[in-house]
Amino acid sequence: MSDWSEKAASLSRERQKVNEDKTSKSLQDRNTLDNKGRALWSTLRHTLGKKCEEFNAEPGNAGLFSLHGNLSQVTVTFTLQKEMIQGTFESDTVHFSGKNGVKYEVLLLLKLTPDGLDVWLFDGLDRPVDLEQLANDVIETLLRAGGR
């Protein structure tokens, strides 16, 4: 074995180790985005449902808002007029859009926190999104669209 072949083999092993580490980190990041992203989506659905319940509990508002959802989609409906906003969750995005005449369009991105252990939701200007404020915006948009 020559010095050259020994050095080349050593460099090759180092590169392979770096590539394995990158692949492992990439898989870990993907798993964190998937798992924590689903949890964040669940929290957002719950927050929307809570806002609908709070509004419906006010005098004269019984049943004005309904929410239907599953693991990848949620629909908030203003029941008097059938206006709605639909939200969908995909691997690293959350997208809300108005239906039946409602003008509302929001595309949000899920990103890892700097430590890589959790996820944040960001808007198109790369600003963190507050789930309570997002839920309020959905409800308020539906109220305006319904003329209330």
Side-chain angles (χ1 to χ4, degrees):
M1 195 168 12
S2 69
D3 285 344
W4 172 86
S5 66
E6 190 176 319
K7 287 178 185 175
S10 177
L11 283 172
S12 176
R13 283 190 299 274
E14 287 174 18
R15 278 191 221 111
Q16 185 175 0
K17 175 71 172 129
V18 167
N19 287 338
E20 287 171 359
D21 290 347
K22 284 181 182 178
T23 299
S24 176
K25 175 69 173 134
S26 179
L27 286 173
Q28 180 183 356
D29 289 351
R30 182 77 255 159
N31 286 337
T32 300
L33 270 173
D34 289 345
N35 294 330
K36 300 286 185 162
R38 277 192 294 278
L40 186 67
W41 173 247
S42 178
T43 301
L44 179 54
R45 287 189 345 255
H46 175 77
T47 302
L48 283 164
K50 185 177 78 174
K51 294 294 181 181
C52 289
E53 289 173 6
E54 287 174 7
F55 186 85
N56 287 345
E58 294 293 328
N61 291 345
L64 285 183
F65 284 107
S66 65
L67 179 128
H68 303 283
N70 58 39
L71 295 177
S72 63
Q73 189 171 343
V74 66
T75 302
V76 181
T77 305
F78 185 58
T79 54
L80 293 178
Q81 307 275 337
K82 300 298 181 202
E83 284 94 349
M84 66 179 65
I85 293 179
Q86 192 171 60
T88 55
F89 167 72
E90 293 183 11
S91 63
D92 58 355
T93 61
V94 172
H95 179 238
F96 283 93
S97 60
K99 306 289 183 202
N100 298 339
V102 178
K103 294 182 187 223
Y104 190 77
E105 197 76 29
V106 176
L107 179 63
L108 306 169
L109 303 174
L110 287 164
K111 294 184 182 183
L112 290 172
T113 55
D115 64 8
L117 300 176
D118 208 348
V119 294
W120 287 340
L121 201 54
F122 286 88
D123 66 10
L125 299 174
D126 213 29
R127 297 176 300 199
V129 173
D130 178 80
L131 299 185
E132 290 278 332
Q133 186 58 52
L134 177 59
N136 289 343
D137 290 346
V138 167
I139 298 296
E140 290 168 9
T141 299
L142 285 172
L143 286 170
R144 281 191 305 276
R148 294 183 60 121

